[in-house]
Amino acid sequence: MSKTLNVAVIGCGGIANGKHLPALSKQDKAVLVAFCDLVESRAEEAAAQYGAEGAKVYTDYTELLKDPSIEVIHVCTPNDSHAEITIAALEAGKHVLCEKPMAKTTEEARGMIEAAKRTGKKLSIAYQNRFRDDSLHLKDMCEKGELGDLYYGKAIALRRRAVPTWGVFLDEEKQGGGPLIDIGTHALDLTLWLMDNYKPQSVMGSTFHKLGSRENAANAFGPWDPEQFKVEDSAFGFIKMQNGATIVLESSWALNVRKFGEAQTLLCGTEGGADMADGLHINGENRSRLTETKVDFGSGGVAFYDGGSENAEDREARQWLEAILEDKEPIVKPEQALVVTQILEAIYESAKTGKAVYFD
């Protein structure tokens, strides 16, 4: 793979600077040639720090997409523009990695997949937690059947008090929701992927806005403005799959819990179980005795992935670029991300109607 790819980033805010740009800057196959943001100074700062010589700055993404030399787009904008920008980029002949969640609605997500098929360009969604050491280790175990038939999973995305108070996180119109669509999406993606089960049958959901109206609330990022808090502060789902497997989804930005954690899963199979609380634990039975093992990731890398010293964000960027250059499927397939969006949308719908949502 001697070729390099010209990459542009649309949206130069927190997620771009916190993940995409640092990871892409480490990849020798990526050349960062263009940056776009509605706030020009943000694009200029990103270009100055990460851009190649002569990198261009835009405030209008449609102008950026006119540049035929750009081959790859990373979409790092609020949720309500994911579909619009992704479809436009695909139709402009670019490969697209879009931030999670795939889209606000199932209809928008389907439109993104149709555009990728129509144009023949690659599309993936940025669910980087699949690329952690513990996730890859557990995925390898699941694929080899070491946990047996997986029939119960719990997708965990719980914060006690960590409501994001910047950007548009509290804006329902731009984001589509609160912790469920923000961090619950990571936990659900991880759980579905590990179980290799993408056929939901029904969903029951509940959402709550119990703490968001409080003034001067304790919060990791400082007190939130109750007038701006237009989304749920916690949400929960009960998901029944077509094969009878069950998944419980827990998500919160503010919830009175003692134990909390994000992008975690708990799996139960016929031959054993696993959870990610305080490290990756595998439990089972041996010679009529119960066993429990905590996997040590301090010694050695990930044997089934090159570059054991990489972090999840770097692996995500590398495999995405390799998928383009080697013309292979990305690890995160858009059809899988679509199911995540379908389930999240169903939880919100169920919470509003008080009824179960059934899938065809």
Side-chain angles (χ1 to χ4, degrees):
M1 291 195 305
S2 58
K3 189 180 185 304
T4 59
L5 293 165
N6 288 336
V7 182
V9 175
I10 299 176
C12 298
I15 195 64
N17 284 281
K19 182 180 80 165
H20 291 260
L21 292 170
L24 285 167
S25 68
K26 298 175 187 176
Q27 309 302 316
D28 58 6
K29 302 302 180 185
V31 182
L32 287 158
V33 298
F35 302 81
C36 180
D37 198 280
L38 292 173
V39 179
E40 189 172 18
S41 61
R42 285 203 297 239
E44 290 173 342
E45 289 170 7
Q49 183 171 358
Y50 296 105
E53 185 176 354
K56 297 178 181 178
V57 168
Y58 299 84
T59 56
D60 182 349
Y61 78 87
T62 61
E63 292 300 315
L64 180 151
L65 295 180
K66 292 177 183 177
D67 186 342
S69 70
I70 296 173
E71 299 162 283
V72 182
I73 300 289
H74 281 222
V75 177
C76 304
T77 60
N79 299 345
D80 66 337
S81 61
H82 284 185
E84 173 191 322
I85 297 173
T86 294
I87 292 170
L90 291 166
E91 291 180 340
K94 322 298 186 186
H95 304 286
V96 179
L97 178 66
C98 179
E99 248 307 316
K100 62 77 192 169
M102 187 173 187
K104 274 179 59 176
T105 69
T106 299
E107 182 180 4
E108 289 177 342
R110 285 200 178 108
M112 294 163 71
I113 292 175
E114 290 167 1
K117 290 179 177 178
R118 184 169 62 250
T119 61
K121 295 300 175 181
K122 296 191 185 299
L123 170 63
S124 189
I125 309 303
Y127 282 117
Q128 76 275 2
N129 289 288
R130 293 192 189 189
F131 300 93
R132 300 186 328 229
D133 285 352
D134 57 346
S135 302
L136 292 169
H137 185 95
L138 185 53
K139 179 64 172 176
D140 191 53
M141 292 185 68
C142 292
E143 288 182 338
K144 292 176 178 175
E146 294 178 33
L147 299 185
D149 176 26
L150 295 169
Y151 58 90
Y152 177 69
K154 181 181 284 188
I156 303 163
L158 294 177
R159 296 178 183 174
R160 182 179 178 182
R161 289 291 192 284
V163 178
T165 54
W166 62 92
V168 297
F169 281 103
L170 303 181
D171 186 330
E172 185 174 14
E173 182 62 31
K174 289 191 174 297
Q175 288 297 93
L180 180 63
I181 201 169
D182 177 40
I183 56 177
T185 189
H186 275 302
L188 180 58
D189 172 74
L190 188 60
T191 303
L192 293 173
W193 179 62
L194 290 167
M195 296 178 76
D196 192 24
N197 193 338
Y198 290 94
K199 295 182 177 180
Q201 181 184 76
S202 64
V203 167
M204 280 289 293
S206 297
T207 61
F208 297 97
H209 190 275
K210 296 289 188 179
L211 306 179
S213 59
R214 297 194 175 187
E215 299 275 359
N216 299 314
N219 189 50
F221 306 116
W224 57 79
D225 181 353
E227 295 298 320
Q228 300 297 320
F229 207 137
K230 303 299 184 183
V231 296
E232 81 276 2
D233 49 43
S234 61
F236 309 91
F238 184 89
I239 306 146
K240 186 81 174 288
M241 310 303 283
Q242 289 182 17
N243 69 346
T246 298
I247 297 172
V248 172
L249 172 57
E250 303 174 331
S251 65
S252 70
W253 282 339
L255 189 68
N256 288 322
V257 291
R258 186 176 65 87
K259 293 184 178 181
F260 46 89
E262 289 184 46
Q264 294 182 3
T265 192
L266 177 152
L267 300 177
C268 296
T270 52
E271 302 304 314
D275 70 73
M276 293 174 165
D278 186 30
L280 179 59
H281 294 258
I282 310 298
N283 62 77
E285 181 181 352
N286 190 344
R287 294 182 175 86
S288 301
R289 301 287 183 179
L290 298 178
T291 63
E292 180 181 323
T293 302
K294 183 176 182 180
V295 183
D296 180 8
F297 292 102
S299 57
V302 184
F304 38 92
Y305 257 71
D306 292 335
S309 62
E310 290 177 305
N311 62 31
E313 292 80 3
D314 295 346
R315 285 189 190 125
E316 176 187 59
R318 176 172 58 81
Q319 72 79 31
W320 163 237
L321 298 172
E322 289 175 354
I324 297 169
L325 291 168
E326 298 176 10
D327 192 21
K328 60 185 182 182
E329 279 194 308
I331 299 297
V332 182
K333 301 174 180 61
E335 293 81 6
Q336 296 170 338
L338 169 66
V339 177
V340 176
T341 294
Q342 285 179 309
I343 292 173
L344 297 178
E345 187 176 55
I347 292 173
Y348 282 125
E349 181 181 345
S350 175
K352 290 178 181 178
T353 65
K355 300 177 181 179
V357 174
Y358 292 89
F359 297 87
D360 294 334

